[in-house]
Amino acid sequence: MAKHQSKQRSQQHVSSTGRELTENSFGMQLQELLKQKKYRQALEEIKKIQRTHPGIEFTPKESEIWLLRGQQEFQKQDFKQAEKSFGRALELGLMGEAHYWQAKCLLELNQLDVALNLLRDAFETGNLIKDYSICYLKLLLLKGDTATVEQLIDQQSKRFSAAQLHWVRGVLALKNGQPEAALTSLQKIKRPITPGDLPNAWIIYSQQMSGNWNAAANLLGLQPSKYIFSRPKYLENPILEQLATAQQAKTGIPPLEAQNLEREDPLIQDALSALAIVQLIDEGNHHDAAHILLQMLKRSTRFSELNNLRKSLFTLAGQQALNQGKTECAELFWQPLLAEKPFNPQLAVNLLEVLDANDSDKERPRVVTQFLRWLEQEGKQKPQEWPDTRLKPTLAHLHCWMADAYMAIGRERAALGALQQAERICPTSPELLGRKGLVAASEENYTEAISLITQAIEGGCRYAEVYGTLLACWEELGDKLALNEARRSFGKHFGDFNIETEVEILPWVDALSTLSYPLFSRLVQTEDNKDPTIGACQIFVNAVQGSPNSGGRVSLDQKAAVEAWDSLLKKLSGQEQIPVLQAISLSIHLFAKREKGIAALINQYLQKLFNLSTEHPEARVAHLVVLAVKENSSQKLEPPLRNYLDTMPQPGNALANIQLQVRRFGEITTLVPALSEALRREPQNPLLLLARATTYQVDHPNYEQFKQQGFELARRLQDAKALQAFREEQAFLSAQEVTSIMPDPDNFDNLDMSNIDELLEGMLKKMLGNKMSKAEFERMLPELKQMMLNSMPNFDEDEDEEEEEPNLDFIFRNLPPTSKKRKGRRKGGFQELF
């Protein structure tokens, strides 16, 4: 009986672990599909996983994904399919927003009565949540049933929000010819009551109905002074444009004089558009410039010179749109270019990525076909550039892409044909092996699939579905160790960094970041002096004269230090000098007394560092890090910082990188203005949010707020660089916590049992004194002391034996104590949050 229960518990544990692995693996795959807006594929994957794991949990819910798919279809004006998708979301229990969108689809399909019945039933059964109750009233008003509307707001007013009631009363007042009363109600609405509403439009219309034409003109931007030289407000929305047209027709103001007719003259209109294109290109806004050019080309523009810009502008605009996440625009710009001669293979690669992101699956086979034809011609015409060793693997790769494209539109036989063609051309292609592995997995030949996919990834295949399938195969076989090993071996190629991620901190940075000269000197003296940066720190320590003052600073024999540093630098290449010069400058700034010559000495090595930046761009970063630590004024730092950031493709990330290095050397605030400005431009940049957090003390509420906001963004976006930065920040905080409780290193000299009790008590007070009551602390003190003693090295052993440092992980992380020889600090990062 006991044996049976033990076995049952074991099976439950395995089942629970397998379920967690499945949920994690599937969750990662689902988030990637949602990130790429592949909602149809996401729903297909949900259907597949639910067959084998009916109780699996995932986020977001299936109903929410149906809603997203419906909104995507609505945007593409596929209203019939969108209506079905929203209906499916309703069936799965998503209320309110799904009702709104389904009704909107039905209106587009001219089915007002069906939409009205849908919302009436939902309202009467209580399934239409309060935020969307107004939709029912809107449909009643469209139907002309004002009596029912009045009855509902009188008898069931609690089912509507205040803003909804203001809107309804305003509209009823307009219908009753009471525009002044309508205006009173409508002016109380500050935000749209359903998506896409324009509260301002109702106010303008009420002003017009009241005869307040000047007030309406101000709201529409019809003032003569703004009519020509800036974009009027009424052009921001078609509804406002209709109101503006109606007002001009009714009042004749502004009059259609010559200057006003300029916008109606096609030649002048093209001239203004051409000027706007040039200005936008000059500002680097290729995206908006390309949209204007597209509109001009539809009108057969008179400025033929613009045709010369078309290809390069659309290419740049597509890239800019892609960088900004506007993949629909990238597709719009790039697709026409693919048909032009000569064929651009890189453009084809980029376009395929965009088509995949937009779920434009029907277009993908056409693009791959063009790509294949071009490559076949290139192989025939330029055999010297395309020998078989290069041509055949590339052709096989393209046929694999063709197979992927066919699978996306459900043409499985055509996909298998494409794979057979790839195998005839290059049977050893890693891409082909990967797809064959997918086929084997679909047939539940997991061992064969694992073998094929492993060969594929080792050979360079980076198709994400191949990696996901490899993990799924190991999961199906129940081999958790092999699954984790696969993630360790291959995860880095696919953005999967969650397995035993470690943080490497350079020993010289580790030592300087203690901000304590006694600790710094001990740490660098125990490190390997073959490392030039450690050697530079050791030179500083050897040149120190006397003991630290009350502020922890020391006198430096500048002549001896400079001679040793210069001798060290002469042996190093320019690249090797960069961290050494940084370590020299920082050690002087952080630990040397402000004696005569010290400021000049720091500037001397700073200048050497700056001089290296002409040949080694990374020296600019090191130079700026030291400057940010050294300077007290943000204004002094601004010119060199701005010059550097202006050259960077991602200035926000570049700035964040500097701050995340700076934060290791004290509570530095010189970069706060630059970080605040950068965050205004990029409020959703997780690295910038982390960098801004580090300008506060860790116990400040803003630190946790900025850090948590940034981490959630990084995790949602699966931003590998940002996630690694958060791990490094966590490791730094752990190191700082350990440093904060450590006593003066001199107390460890001649340590014996007579004073160890006092030393341990002092450490424990620093660590736990403010986290528990005095009585509780006193009660637990003997036990805690014993735990710390158990983790310390055996002081009775031979002094010549290799010493080991006490490991305090058992206190901080609830782990059993272990001992390791110190070789730089390696700490696990944010692992507990993944």
Side-chain angles (χ1 to χ4, degrees):
M1 182 69 178
K3 184 177 181 181
H4 172 73
Q5 289 175 340
S6 174
K7 182 178 180 182
Q8 188 177 41
R9 283 194 297 270
S10 176
Q11 288 173 342
Q12 288 172 349
H13 174 72
V14 171
S15 174
S16 172
T17 304
R19 179 191 174 107
E20 287 178 8
L21 285 170
T22 301
E23 288 181 354
N24 290 340
S25 176
F26 177 66
M28 183 174 69
Q29 180 186 8
L30 183 60
Q31 291 303 320
E32 186 61 26
L33 290 171
L34 296 179
K35 178 182 174 183
Q36 298 173 20
K37 298 183 180 180
K38 295 182 178 181
Y39 305 124
R40 177 182 57 76
Q41 290 174 247
L43 290 165
E44 289 174 356
E45 291 301 320
I46 289 172
K47 189 184 295 183
K48 289 179 187 176
I49 197 73
Q50 285 177 337
R51 291 194 196 108
T52 54
H53 300 81
I56 192 168
E57 296 180 2
F58 49 86
T59 303
K61 297 178 180 177
E62 184 180 359
S63 59
E64 293 169 350
I65 301 174
W66 276 108
L67 180 72
L68 291 170
R69 175 176 173 176
Q71 289 171 334
Q72 187 180 65
E73 290 161 346
F74 186 95
Q75 191 176 22
K76 294 180 178 180
Q77 299 188 339
D78 188 357
F79 302 120
K80 286 186 178 180
Q81 187 58 48
E83 192 269 332
K84 292 177 183 177
S85 295
F86 295 132
R88 183 67 180 130
L90 279 172
E91 290 172 8
L92 292 170
L94 186 64
M95 304 299 174
E97 193 172 4
H99 284 108
Y100 165 80
W101 281 102
Q102 190 174 31
K104 199 172 176 69
C105 284
L106 291 168
L107 287 178
E108 292 288 348
L109 296 168
N110 296 316
Q111 298 182 38
L112 172 59
D113 290 335
V114 179
L116 185 55
N117 289 333
L118 169 76
L119 294 193
R120 179 187 290 116
D121 291 345
F123 183 87
E124 290 176 354
T125 56
N127 290 329
L128 191 60
I129 62 177
K130 192 171 186 177
D131 287 348
Y132 290 91
S133 293
I134 189 65
C135 300
Y136 177 38
L137 300 185
K138 285 189 173 187
L139 293 185
L140 287 170
L141 289 169
L142 282 175
K143 190 70 175 175
D145 190 357
T146 56
T148 302
V149 172
E150 290 171 345
Q151 182 183 5
L152 287 169
I153 64 173
D154 287 337
Q155 297 178 4
Q156 301 189 50
S157 60
K158 290 185 178 180
R159 297 192 63 180
F160 306 96
S161 68
Q164 292 171 350
L165 292 171
H166 290 318
W167 181 85
V168 173
R169 287 168 182 147
V171 173
L172 289 173
L174 285 171
K175 281 183 169 288
N176 294 329
Q178 301 169 335
E180 293 292 343
L183 194 59
T184 301
S185 293
L186 294 168
Q187 284 178 329
K188 295 176 182 177
I189 303 171
K190 305 302 180 186
R191 292 183 297 275
I193 55 173
T194 54
D197 276 350
L198 285 175
N200 216 30
W202 288 100
I203 294 172
I204 293 167
Y205 182 71
S206 300
Q207 296 281 24
Q208 291 177 338
M209 294 300 98
S210 301
N212 298 331
W213 300 106
N214 287 337
N218 286 332
L219 292 170
L220 287 165
L222 283 171
Q223 303 89 332
S225 62
K226 294 185 178 180
Y227 191 65
I228 296 299
F229 301 109
S230 65
R231 181 177 175 82
K233 292 180 183 176
Y234 69 81
L235 290 179
E236 295 174 1
N237 188 280
I239 295 173
L240 298 181
E241 196 168 357
Q242 289 178 29
L243 290 170
T245 303
Q247 175 150 339
Q248 200 283 326
K250 182 74 174 177
T251 65
I253 298 173
L256 291 177
E257 297 172 353
Q259 62 174 0
N260 304 122
L261 287 172
E262 286 181 353
R263 282 189 179 271
E264 304 303 320
D265 185 322
L267 181 61
I268 299 299
Q269 195 175 39
D270 273 4
L272 292 172
S273 296
L275 179 61
I277 289 171
V278 173
Q279 289 173 336
L280 288 167
I281 291 174
D282 192 47
E283 294 167 5
N285 188 350
H286 304 109
H287 172 269
D288 289 352
H291 273 300
I292 296 174
L293 182 57
L294 270 177
Q295 293 300 318
M296 290 183 71
L297 294 174
K298 289 178 183 177
R299 301 194 301 266
S300 301
T301 176
R302 297 160 179 78
F303 291 89
S304 57
E305 295 87 349
L306 290 174
N307 284 320
N308 298 331
L309 289 174
R310 178 178 171 276
K311 189 171 184 178
S312 57
L313 177 58
F314 282 3
T315 302
L316 291 170
Q319 188 60 54
Q320 193 171 66
L322 184 61
N323 294 343
Q324 296 171 354
K326 300 173 182 176
T327 52
E328 293 84 359
C329 295
E331 181 179 344
L332 182 68
F333 298 144
W334 281 344
Q335 213 162 20
L337 297 181
L338 202 65
E340 296 189 357
K341 303 294 183 182
F343 181 83
N344 185 337
Q346 185 59 56
L347 180 67
V349 172
N350 295 346
L351 180 57
L352 284 168
E353 179 184 346
V354 166
L355 293 173
D356 190 37
N358 292 344
D359 278 343
S360 299
D361 297 328
K362 292 181 180 178
E363 297 295 324
R364 287 167 61 192
R366 182 180 61 82
V367 175
V368 180
T369 299
Q370 287 179 266
F371 208 156
L372 277 166
R373 288 174 182 168
W374 169 82
L375 184 57
E376 288 165 354
Q377 288 297 318
E378 286 285 294
K380 292 176 183 176
Q381 296 172 6
K382 302 174 182 177
Q384 69 283 1
E385 292 183 19
W386 289 96
D388 281 353
T389 53
R390 182 188 180 197
L391 179 63
K392 287 185 175 181
T394 309
L395 282 170
H397 197 152
L398 286 179
H399 281 290
C400 288
W401 281 2
M402 183 65 85
D404 300 338
Y406 281 141
M407 287 298 293
I409 57 176
R411 296 181 58 186
E412 294 184 5
R413 293 185 64 183
L416 287 173
L419 290 182
Q420 288 168 358
Q421 181 69 6
E423 188 160 23
R424 282 192 288 271
I425 295 170
C426 184
T428 59
S429 163
E431 299 297 327
L432 171 66
L433 294 175
R435 271 60 173 195
K436 288 176 70 175
L438 295 181
V439 173
S442 70
E443 296 171 349
E444 300 185 2
N445 295 328
Y446 301 123
T447 303
E448 181 185 355
I450 289 168
S451 174
L452 288 166
I453 291 175
T454 301
Q455 292 178 62
I457 297 176
E458 289 174 344
C461 176
R462 296 296 178 261
Y463 186 36
E465 190 170 341
V466 163
Y467 175 65
T469 301
L470 175 63
L471 301 186
C473 288
W474 282 122
E475 186 180 328
E476 288 290 342
L477 295 176
D479 194 336
K480 183 181 177 182
L481 291 176
L483 185 149
N484 286 339
E485 184 56 38
R487 293 182 71 190
R488 289 189 197 96
S489 301
F490 306 131
K492 58 183 176 291
H493 301 307
F494 301 92
D496 182 7
F497 297 99
N498 296 351
I499 286 290
E500 296 182 4
T501 305
E502 293 184 327
V503 173
E504 181 82 48
I505 300 176
L506 295 173
W508 69 273
V509 175
D510 195 7
L512 284 168
S513 66
T514 63
L515 305 180
S516 161
Y517 176 74
L519 272 177
F520 164 77
S521 60
R522 294 298 181 100
L523 292 178
V524 299
Q525 294 289 44
T526 59
E527 290 290 347
D528 183 359
N529 59 9
K530 292 179 182 178
D531 178 353
T533 49
I534 289 297
C537 294
Q538 289 173 350
I539 289 170
F540 179 92
V541 173
N542 294 335
V544 166
Q545 298 175 316
S547 302
N549 62 16
S550 58
R553 293 186 174 273
V554 293
S555 288
L556 191 68
D557 183 342
Q558 297 178 41
K559 182 179 179 182
V562 168
E563 287 178 358
W565 280 328
D566 289 352
S567 175
L568 172 65
L569 289 167
K570 285 178 184 177
K571 302 172 185 176
L572 305 175
S573 66
Q575 182 78 33
E576 293 169 328
Q577 288 182 24
I578 295 170
V580 173
L581 289 167
Q582 194 176 15
I584 293 170
S585 305
L586 287 168
S587 59
I588 300 172
H589 173 75
L590 293 173
F591 302 127
K593 290 181 182 178
R594 296 296 180 257
E595 296 173 333
K596 183 179 179 181
I598 287 295
L601 191 58
I602 296 173
N603 290 333
Q604 171 188 331
Y605 288 107
L606 258 178
Q607 186 61 47
K608 289 177 183 288
L609 190 54
F610 180 77
N611 292 342
L612 288 172
S613 63
T614 54
E615 293 183 21
H616 306 284
E618 57 270 39
R620 295 186 71 183
V621 177
H623 179 257
L624 286 167
V625 168
V626 179
L627 270 183
V629 175
K630 171 181 173 289
E631 296 293 348
N632 294 321
S633 167
S634 300
Q635 287 80 7
K636 290 182 181 179
L637 189 61
E638 186 176 356
L641 181 65
R642 180 51 49 203
N643 288 339
Y644 169 68
L645 295 179
D646 286 345
T647 66
M648 300 303 292
Q650 294 181 304
N653 286 0
L655 175 62
N657 176 50
I658 294 172
Q659 170 60 26
L660 293 174
Q661 293 182 57
V662 166
R663 75 99 69 254
R664 296 182 177 278
F665 309 115
E667 295 175 5
I668 313 297
T669 58
T670 46
L671 291 171
V672 168
L675 288 166
S676 299
E677 180 187 345
L679 268 176
R680 281 193 291 272
R681 291 193 301 268
E682 300 179 63
Q684 300 295 300
N685 185 327
L687 268 178
L688 272 176
L689 287 164
L690 174 60
R692 186 67 177 94
T694 63
T695 62
Y696 295 95
Q697 293 184 352
V698 294
D699 56 355
H700 194 287
N702 285 354
Y703 173 85
E704 192 58 36
Q705 179 184 341
F706 277 110
K707 187 175 85 167
Q708 195 58 35
Q709 183 184 350
F711 178 68
E712 291 300 331
L713 268 171
R715 183 162 59 175
R716 189 165 70 246
L717 299 172
Q718 282 299 293
D719 185 331
K721 289 183 179 178
L723 288 171
Q724 182 64 13
F726 279 95
R727 295 185 188 102
E728 291 175 2
E729 170 68 7
Q730 194 69 12
F732 174 71
L733 293 183
S734 297
Q736 291 293 94
E737 187 175 1
V738 172
T739 301
S740 70
I741 71 164
M742 294 298 289
D744 189 316
D746 291 340
N747 291 344
F748 281 111
D749 291 338
N750 303 315
L751 185 66
D752 57 40
M753 295 310 293
S754 63
N755 57 13
I756 193 170
D757 195 64
E758 182 181 343
L759 182 143
L760 292 178
E761 185 171 341
M763 292 173 65
L764 287 165
K765 275 184 179 178
K766 287 183 181 179
M767 181 170 61
L768 301 172
N770 61 347
K771 296 179 182 178
M772 59 177 65
S773 68
K774 184 177 180 181
E776 182 72 8
F777 179 77
E778 294 291 341
R779 185 182 68 80
M780 294 185 63
L781 187 59
E783 183 181 351
L784 291 170
K785 285 181 185 176
Q786 191 58 49
M787 289 171 68
M788 293 185 78
L789 280 170
N790 290 342
S791 73
M792 287 187 169
N794 186 353
F795 295 105
D796 295 330
E797 291 181 359
D798 190 340
E799 291 181 1
D800 293 334
E801 290 186 9
E802 186 178 54
E803 292 185 2
E804 294 180 334
E805 288 192 351
N807 184 326
L808 305 180
D809 274 1
F810 74 100
I811 292 178
F812 294 120
R813 301 187 185 185
N814 223 7
L815 299 175
T818 58
S819 296
K820 293 182 182 178
K821 184 179 178 183
R822 193 179 193 287
K823 291 290 287 182
R825 189 184 289 118
R826 292 174 69 88
K827 296 280 186 184
F830 257 21
Q831 292 175 3
E832 70 276 9
L833 295 178
F834 288 96

